[in-house]
Amino acid sequence: MGRKRQNIQMLLAFAESERGEASGNHGEGTERPMTGPDAERPADTGRLMEEVCERENLWQALKRVRRNRGSPGIDGMTVETIGSYLKEHWPAIRTELLAGTYRPQPVKRVEIPKPGGGMRKLGIPTVLDRFIQQAVMQVLQRRWDPTFSEHSYGFRPGRSAHAAVAAAQDYLGQGHRWVVDIDLEKFFDRVNHDVLMARVARRVSDKRMLRLLRAFLNAGVMENGLVGPTHEGTPQGGPLSPLLSNLLLDDLDRELQRRGLRFVRYADDCNIYVRSERAGLRVMGSITRFLGSRLKLRVNQSKSAVAQPWKRKFLGFSFYLHREPKRRLAAPTLRRFKKRIRELTRRTRGVGLTRMVDDLSRYLLGWRGYFGFCQTPKVLRNLDMWIRRRLRVAIWKQWPRGRTRFVELRKRGVSVRWAGLVAGSSRGPWVLSRSPAMRAAFPPAYFDALGLPRLASQ
């Protein structure tokens, strides 16, 4: 055990008697396999709070909270100070958890812009509550996740958005060329607490855990200095919210599987694939009624549709359908990408080329890590050329006089004739960025040497 780990465990100040409290039920702390209908029965879930308070579980939760960082909640505590706080207060907090009397603080309301426009409301719990939520989530996820549908991909270990997109592509290849694209209206803000807790109670018999989860749901929200109650919703921003959303929507997954439908769900994004428009309209109507009556959820009619897949987007991707379906970048994805590149390379930023390339590199590496999953190398190559052309424009604008332009081009090996023609041209920077002189002076290899990544493989 490393010194860092030992120090953190000492901060938690556990009593020796804590060791093995929950492991006595399962033999050396191992989880029993949970599959099929039995996983919903609350048997062997009467001591979940002891599992939450186990040393190893808390150690893992603290590591995750520190790694995720995040902003302080309403109490101002940061992730850097949580260790010293736990050293002093953990015994009292643990007593409250085991007694079922712990009460979380309200979350802090913040808003962030959505990629497609509008604002998304987030709730930031205090660092202490994030730590406790993470510890609870780890215990519940180990039990619940193996029981979830294989068609559910969001916020689950070993699953990803790429796997969801690949599954959708596979359905298209099987001939299901119509998609029922369901968008749930303000899902995380409108989860019905009673409906959700009924699903939890099917799987949990520990009354302390049920009270704690209800307390997190009803903790309230601080906005503009005032605390208001929360009667519905699971605010995005806490570790528990994704797991609880998957639990609620597991009912939808089971209904779709019962009907034998092909579908892919990633969090609240659900696409159902059928063979005809008529079948899609029938499914859309019946699933909309199911969601409203069974889960008290509303389908956003303006954002949902029955359409051909290449006219819709799923997790930032769409598809080409020729002989076989191919993944491509959805039109909104391209628009957002180009908007961001224009911001980073605009001529009025007042930064040098090195700083501009550094900022671009950070963005491009993250973008490529996700959207490089597309199967359109020509599109990526064109984006590469467009980015480098914008950088040549930025360079050109840094040379305000014809004499400076001539000298700089000559330094980079451009002939006297071409340097003179370009330096004295009255054409604009965008046109001249494609000139042979500028391309010779600043070829792709020049930007490679500066560390600018390429989106397309060479």
Side-chain angles (χ1 to χ4, degrees), residues 80 87 92 130 132 253 256 315 342 391:
E80 289 80 14
K87 181 179 180 181
R130 292 208 296 270
I132 294 174
D253 298 341
L256 295 174
L315 301 177
R342 289 188 181 100
L391 289 173

Side-chain angles (χ1 to χ4, degrees), residues 126-151:
T126 65
V127 175
L128 175 61
D129 285 337
R130 292 208 296 270
F131 166 65
I132 294 174
Q133 281 196 36
Q134 180 67 32
V136 170
M137 187 276 290
Q138 290 168 179
V139 169
L140 297 181
Q141 187 175 62
R142 287 196 297 268
R143 292 173 172 269
W144 294 356
D145 191 79
T147 74
F148 290 156
S149 169
E150 62 178 319
H151 306 286

Side-chain angles (χ1 to χ4, degrees), residues 307-343:
Q308 293 166 313
W310 55 89
K311 297 180 181 178
R312 306 295 294 176
K313 63 182 179 67
F314 182 53
L315 301 177
F317 295 91
S318 188
F319 300 94
Y320 288 123
L321 292 182
H322 298 296
R323 292 181 179 178
E324 60 181 25
K326 297 285 187 182
R327 299 183 296 273
R328 66 179 177 89
L329 300 173
T333 298
L334 280 172
R335 286 196 296 269
R336 288 194 297 271
F337 175 79
K338 289 191 172 184
K339 179 182 178 182
R340 183 57 179 154
I341 295 300
R342 289 188 181 100
E343 291 171 351

Side-chain angles (χ1 to χ4, degrees), residues 150-281:
E150 62 178 319
H151 306 286
S152 167
Y153 291 87
F155 309 118
R156 297 184 61 191
R159 290 175 167 259
S160 66
H162 286 172
V165 173
Q169 182 179 9
D170 188 51
Y171 289 141
L172 298 179
Q174 296 173 19
H176 299 84
R177 299 297 177 92
W178 286 83
V179 61
V180 182
D181 187 354
I182 296 177
D183 182 275
L184 297 176
E185 188 173 288
K186 297 182 178 179
F187 169 71
F188 287 95
D189 297 328
R190 293 188 173 170
V191 169
N192 184 286
H193 289 176
D194 292 333
V195 173
L196 174 59
M197 288 305 300
R199 272 66 185 168
V200 175
R202 291 176 184 171
R203 298 169 178 251
V204 172
S205 62
D206 191 327
K207 302 298 183 184
R208 300 163 300 174
M209 178 66 74
L210 295 173
R211 283 196 295 269
L212 180 62
L213 292 177
R214 175 71 79 164
F216 275 123
L217 293 174
N218 296 336
V221 175
M222 176 174 283
E223 194 168 9
N224 299 321
L226 299 175
V227 176
T230 48
H231 302 297
E232 62 179 1
T234 59
Q236 292 174 271
L240 266 173
S241 183
L243 179 63
L244 294 177
S245 68
N246 272 334
L247 175 64
L248 181 65
L249 292 175
D250 189 55
D251 276 29
L252 171 62
D253 298 341
R254 291 175 184 241
E255 176 65 15
L256 295 174
Q257 287 181 276
R258 186 186 67 80
R259 299 185 186 190
L261 293 169
R262 277 85 172 165
F263 72 97
V264 180
R265 183 177 66 78
Y266 191 95
D268 57 329
D269 288 331
C270 184
N271 278 5
I272 306 167
Y273 295 89
V274 295
R275 292 187 180 274
S276 68
E277 182 180 18
R278 182 178 179 181
L281 292 171

